[in-house]
Amino acid sequence: MSSKWRKLKLALGFNLCVYVPPGATHDSPERSLLSPTTWTFGSAHLSKSFSTSSSKKTCSICLANMKLGDGNAIFTAECSHSFHFHCIASNVKHGNQLCPVCRAKWKEIPCQGPTLELPSGRSRVDPAGWLHNNGMMTVVRRLPRRPNSNRHDTQILQSPEPAVFDDDESLDHKTESIEEILTVKNHADTVSCTTINVETYPEVPAVPQYNASNNFTVLIHLKAPVSFSGHSINQSNLSPISQTPRAPVDLVTILDISGSMAGTKLALLKRAMGFVIQNLGPNDRLTVIAFSSTARRLFPLSRMSETGRQQALQAVNSLVANGGTNIAEGLRKGAKAMEDRREKNAVSSIILLSDGQDTYTISGSRGSQSEPNYELLLPTSIHGKESHGVKVPVHAFGFGTDHDASLMHSISETSGGTFSFIEKEGTIQDAFAQCIGGLLSVVVKELHLTIETVDSRISLGSIKTGSYPNHMMPNGKTAYVEVGDLYADEERDFLVSVNLPKEILNKETSILKVRSNYINPLTKQTVTLDSDIVKIMRPEIAGQDIVSIEVDRQRNRLQAAESMAEARAAAEQGDLAGAISILESCRNMLSQTVSARAHDHLCIALDAELKEMQERMASRHVYEASGRAYILSGLSSHSWQRATSRGDSVDSSSLVQAYQTRSMTEMLSRSQATLLGSPLAYRLLQPKPR
C-alpha cells in the first residue's frame, strides 16, 4: 500500500485528479488516477503537505506544532495554509470564511461531520471534496475558468514563459456594473471641480524700500485634492478599499525567494502578499516575479477579479525559497512585464523586496574602494534615460539586517520610487499596506510646475526640490519642476530663492507666480492652474521681521536632510564619531529656530529622527546592521516628501510619519486589524531589546 500511496501523492503534487466511482471501496479495482488536469489544489506542491516535513509546521492559531500521527487532524485550506482542524473549526463556526493567515475567502470551510472507519494507511475522497489521510484534511475544488481564456487554470504555475509578455489581461472596463459606472460618473463630476491647492509664502511679509537681498526665499506649497471617494474605511466591514472610484493600478511585485528567505520570512511575505491581493480591485492588474538564482513570472498581468485573486493567492502560496540572489534578473523581468503589456492602467508601479545582496550582477565590484555601479541592475524602462523609457517607479523594501541598503536605495532613487527598511519581520505586511495605501489613491498624474518672475528686475536663484528634477532657463526668469504623481492629500514644499532689488517708487514688489499642469487620472482631463502673484510690502522704515514659520519649517527639513547625507558619507568612510558630531550640530541648530520655539511638530520629529540615527551609529556593527538602512530610508522619505517604513514601526505613534496620508493610515489600520488574530505576527511584533 505504501507504493500506491506514493503514487497518489505524486499525482496530487502534479494537480492530477483522484477519481473514486460512486460506491467503490478502498480495495475496489475501479480506483484509478486520471491524467487530465481538471482539478486544482491549494498548493502546487501539495505532496509536501503529506510528507514528514509537515511535522515541523506550526499552527498559526495555537502556535503548537502540527505532527502527523499525534491524534490531531490537520486542515489544509485551498490557499495552502494549514491549521489544527479543531482550531480552525472553532474559528469558523460562526460562518467566517476568511483564512486567518492571508485573508483569502474560502469556498469550502471545515466542519465536523461523521467519518467512516478506514483500513490503516488508506485515504478517501468523499463527495464533499475532502481528502482524508492519517488525520490530515485538504480541500479539493474546481476553480472557475477565467473569462475569455483558453488556458487551463493549472497552467498559471506550469506554462513556459512567452518571449514577449503581451499576454496581459484586457482592462475590460466595460464589464463594470451600471451602478459602478454611475457612481464613477457622479464622483468624476465632483472631482473635476476639485484641484490641487497651490499656496506661496514669502519668508517675511515686508522688506524696507532701500534694502536689497540676493537670497530672498519664497515657499511654494502644494496639496493634492482629497480621495475621489471621500470615504474612510469601516473597520467592521473590511471590504476592498478599491471598490470606491479611483484610478486603477498596474502593479508588478518582484519578490526575493532565495535560500535566506526560507522559514518565517517567506511565510510572512506570503501573508503580506495575500493582503495586497485582497485589497486590489477588479480593475487593478497584478503580476508577480519571483527571483533567486534566476527569475520567473508566476502569472501574466491579470485583473484582480475574484478568480484572479484566487489564482494569484495560489501562485504566491506555492513559492519555495532556495538559491542565490539575482536582483538584476528580477528587475529585468519586472520591467519587461511593464514594457510588453498591450494596455496600460492609469497608474503603474513596481514593488521590489529583497533580504540579501545581489550575488550575480555586481558581486565582482564589491571588493573595490569605489561604490558599485548599481545602474547595471536597472533596465532602461526603469531609469528612463532612453527616449522609450517610461520610468516606472520602483518602491524598494529592504527586509531584515542583511540586505544591501545602498543598492535598494539606489534602485528606488533612480526610478523615482521610495526605499523602506523593514527591520522587524512582523512589520512586512504593514510596510506593504502603507505603500499600496498610497498607490491606490493617486489623484494627480504628471504634475509639472512653471515658476516665472513677474518683475523684470528679479531673477531666480536656487530651487530646492529634493529628488524632483528641476530646470532653470539661462536668463533666470523661468524654472520648471517635474513633480509627477501625487497621492490623495499629499503635500509638496519647494523653496525658491530670488534676488530682491531696492524699491524706491512703489510700496510693494511683485516677485513671482506659479503655474501647474497635471492630468486628472479619473477623468483623463488636463488641468491648468495659475497661482496668485507673490507680493511683499516695501515700507520706508524697517519693522520687526517675523520669519514665516512655514518657510522656517522647510528650511529645517532640508538642513536635516543635508546633515543626514553628510553623516552617512562620513560613516561610510569609517568616521562614526564625525558622523555623530554632524548630526549633533544639526540638532543644536534646529533647537535655535523659530519652529523649535513654537514647538513645531516637524521640528520635534526631525530632532527625534536625528537622535535615533546617532544611536544607530554607536558602533560599526550597529551601523552595518541597521544604521545605514535607517538613514537611507530617511533620506528617501525627505527627498521625495513621501512616507517610507523605517526601523521597527510604521504606525501613527512613530516619530517619522510626517508624510503619511489618510489613505495610508487607513490601509495600515486595515492591515493591523487582520494581524490581531495572528499569534505568530503578534509575537514577532513584540519589541526586542536593541
Side-chain angles (χ1 to χ4, degrees):
M1 290 307 301
S2 60
S3 176
K4 292 181 178 180
W5 174 234
R6 281 196 297 270
K7 292 180 180 178
L8 177 59
K9 289 196 295 182
L10 181 63
L12 293 174
F14 284 96
N15 287 337
L16 299 183
C17 177
V18 180
Y19 172 70
V20 183
T25 67
H26 290 274
D27 296 322
S28 300
E30 293 86 358
R31 176 179 296 275
S32 60
L33 300 177
L34 302 181
S35 58
T37 56
T38 56
W39 293 80
T40 300
F41 291 79
S43 169
H45 303 279
L46 188 59
S47 59
K48 291 189 175 184
S49 299
F50 294 85
S51 68
T52 55
S53 64
S54 63
S55 63
K56 298 181 181 179
K57 290 185 178 180
T58 301
C59 174
S60 297
I61 297 177
C62 70
L63 297 183
N65 287 337
M66 294 186 294
K67 181 184 293 186
L68 292 176
D70 65 353
N72 291 316
I74 298 173
F75 168 72
T76 301
E78 59 213 68
C79 61
S80 83
H81 292 117
S82 300
F83 314 90
H84 284 126
F85 182 78
H86 62 273
C87 292
I88 196 64
S90 175
N91 191 58
V92 303
K93 65 182 180 180
H94 297 299
N96 181 12
Q97 298 186 31
L98 296 180
C99 173
V101 176
C102 67
R103 312 302 295 174
K105 186 175 182 180
W106 293 338
K107 295 298 183 182
E108 289 84 16
I109 59 175
C111 58
Q112 301 286 2
T115 59
L116 299 175
E117 294 297 329
L118 298 176
S120 176
R122 296 301 183 87
S123 306
R124 64 182 172 85
V125 176
D126 62 25
W130 297 88
L131 174 68
H132 303 256
N133 178 70
N134 291 341
M136 178 170 286
M137 302 183 184
T138 299
V139 174
V140 183
R141 73 179 183 88
R142 187 188 300 271
L143 280 176
R145 187 173 298 230
R146 185 184 296 275
N148 301 323
S149 172
N150 294 323
R151 303 187 307 265
H152 283 292
D153 294 319
T154 53
Q155 289 179 330
I156 200 168
L157 297 178
Q158 299 177 359
S159 59
E161 289 182 349
V164 180
F165 290 169
D166 60 354
D167 52 354
D168 52 304
E169 187 173 2
S170 173
L171 297 180
D172 196 21
H173 293 305
K174 295 180 180 179
T175 61
E176 295 172 336
S177 65
I178 295 178
E179 291 79 4
E180 289 176 319
I181 295 173
L182 291 176
T183 302
V184 171
K185 182 180 184 303
N186 292 335
H187 279 281
D189 292 340
T190 302
V191 171
S192 63
C193 301
T194 304
T195 59
I196 65 171
N197 185 34
V198 181
E199 296 180 348
T200 53
Y201 300 88
E203 62 175 290
V204 290
V207 175
Q209 282 183 339
Y210 297 99
N211 288 4
S213 173
N214 291 324
N215 192 29
F216 186 83
T217 303
V218 176
L219 167 66
I220 300 174
H221 174 77
L222 312 174
K223 185 169 184 179
V226 297
S227 175
F228 293 132
S229 65
H231 298 313
S232 60
I233 296 175
N234 182 358
Q235 293 300 319
S236 63
N237 180 20
L238 297 179
S239 57
I241 191 173
S242 51
Q243 288 181 354
T244 58
R246 59 168 177 80
V249 177
D250 279 349
L251 179 62
V252 175
T253 57
I254 306 173
L255 309 178
D256 185 344
I257 57 167
S258 59
S260 57
M261 286 290 295
T264 302
K265 282 185 177 180
L266 185 60
L268 291 172
L269 173 58
K270 291 179 179 181
R271 176 199 294 271
M273 278 302 302
F275 178 84
V276 171
I277 291 167
Q278 293 293 348
N279 282 279
L280 294 176
N283 287 329
D284 298 315
R285 299 190 299 176
L286 172 72
T287 186
V288 177
I289 310 294
F291 72 91
S292 53
S293 301
T294 59
R296 62 188 174 96
R297 187 188 65 166
L298 301 190
F299 53 89
L301 189 63
S302 305
R303 295 175 61 214
M304 289 297 98
S305 58
E306 183 177 354
T307 301
R309 286 198 197 107
Q310 189 69 37
Q311 293 176 331
L313 287 169
Q314 289 189 350
V316 169
N317 286 325
S318 73
L319 294 175
V320 177
N322 57 63
T325 306
N326 194 339
I327 297 176
E329 184 63 12
L331 283 171
R332 187 187 69 79
K333 287 206 173 175
K336 184 176 176 60
M338 287 295 187
E339 293 170 355
D340 294 352
R341 54 188 168 154
R342 293 174 293 110
E343 299 180 80
K344 297 180 181 180
N345 262 323
V347 181
S348 299
S349 190
I350 295 174
I351 288 178
L352 167 67
L353 178 134
S354 178
D355 76 330
Q357 306 199 11
D358 188 280
T359 54
Y360 289 83
T361 309
I362 60 175
S363 58
S365 57
R366 290 190 181 277
S368 61
Q369 294 293 328
S370 60
E371 190 169 275
N373 182 11
Y374 294 124
E375 284 199 5
L376 293 174
L377 295 168
L378 298 174
T380 301
S381 61
I382 290 181
H383 60 62
K385 289 187 176 180
E386 302 296 334
S387 59
H388 62 278
V390 294
K391 196 170 182 178
V392 177
V394 178
H395 298 286
F397 293 82
F399 194 19
T401 58
D402 296 325
H403 72 277
D404 190 336
S406 297
L407 180 152
M408 300 293 276
H409 176 261
S410 178
I411 291 172
S412 63
E413 188 72 13
T414 303
S415 66
T418 55
F419 167 61
S420 292
F421 169 37
I422 307 174
E423 183 175 20
K424 186 173 291 187
E425 294 175 349
T427 62
I428 181 175
Q429 179 172 303
D430 283 350
F432 277 14
Q434 177 173 268
C435 181
I436 66 168
L439 294 176
L440 299 183
S441 67
V442 172
V443 293
V444 171
K445 290 283 298 177
E446 302 176 22
L447 172 61
H448 298 271
L449 296 183
T450 302
I451 305 168
E452 295 180 291
T453 60
V454 177
D455 193 314
S456 61
R457 299 168 299 167
I458 296 177
S459 61
L460 300 171
S462 65
I463 302 179
K464 297 183 178 180
T465 58
S467 292
Y468 293 99
N470 66 75
H471 172 68
M472 188 180 301
M473 300 300 290
N475 61 8
K477 302 298 183 182
T478 308
Y480 305 95
V481 182
E482 298 178 24
V483 184
D485 299 352
L486 291 181
Y487 303 154
D489 300 317
E490 268 197 321
E491 301 179 36
R492 296 290 182 268
D493 293 284
F494 305 129
L495 290 180
V496 179
S497 66
V498 300
N499 70 307
L500 192 65
K502 294 180 181 180
E503 190 68 71
I504 299 176
L505 301 176
N506 299 317
K507 297 297 183 180
E508 68 177 16
T509 300
S510 297
I511 301 177
L512 57 80
K513 63 181 179 180
V514 181
R515 169 170 291 182
S516 57
N517 295 86
Y518 66 92
I519 298 173
N520 183 317
L522 195 61
T523 65
K524 307 296 190 299
Q525 296 175 340
T526 299
V527 181
T528 300
L529 297 172
D530 289 316
S531 72
D532 294 333
I533 296 176
V534 180
K535 301 178 181 180
I536 59 170
M537 303 303 297
R538 306 303 298 268
E540 293 183 4
I541 302 175
Q544 182 179 4
D545 291 337
I546 303 176
V547 178
S548 165
I549 191 172
E550 286 83 6
V551 173
D552 188 67
R553 179 187 296 125
Q554 297 308 317
R555 282 175 171 167
N556 294 340
R557 177 181 63 82
L558 291 170
Q559 181 58 56
E562 290 176 6
S563 296
M564 293 174 195
E566 292 175 9
R568 186 227 167 189
E572 294 298 333
Q573 295 297 320
D575 185 10
L576 290 176
I580 293 174
S581 177
I582 292 171
L583 297 177
E584 185 64 27
S585 296
C586 184
R587 293 180 65 193
N588 292 334
M589 183 276 296
L590 290 177
S591 67
Q592 305 301 317
T593 62
V594 172
S595 300
R597 291 193 292 270
H599 305 288
D600 177 66
H601 175 74
L602 178 59
C603 189
I604 295 172
L606 288 172
D607 181 73
E609 185 178 1
L610 293 169
K611 180 181 179 181
E612 176 76 11
M613 291 179 180
Q614 288 178 305
E615 294 175 356
R616 291 177 184 264
M617 292 180 171
S619 68
R620 194 69 198 174
H621 171 74
V622 174
Y623 177 74
E624 295 283 352
S626 68
R628 178 186 292 117
Y630 189 90
I631 291 176
L632 287 174
S633 60
L635 286 172
S636 177
S637 183
H638 290 304
S639 66
W640 295 110
Q641 299 181 57
R642 179 162 281 172
T644 62
S645 303
R646 273 180 271 173
D648 293 344
S649 178
V650 292
D651 62 33
S652 58
S653 65
S654 175
L655 293 170
V656 293
Q657 300 310 316
Y659 307 111
Q660 256 186 9
T661 65
R662 184 171 60 180
S663 59
M664 291 179 182
T665 57
E666 287 175 345
M667 190 64 79
L668 270 171
S669 297
R670 173 183 294 229
S671 170
Q672 290 160 3
T674 66
L675 292 173
L676 289 178
S678 169
L680 175 60
Y682 177 81
R683 182 177 64 188
L684 291 171
L685 286 168
Q686 296 311 296
K688 297 179 181 178
R690 186 172 297 161

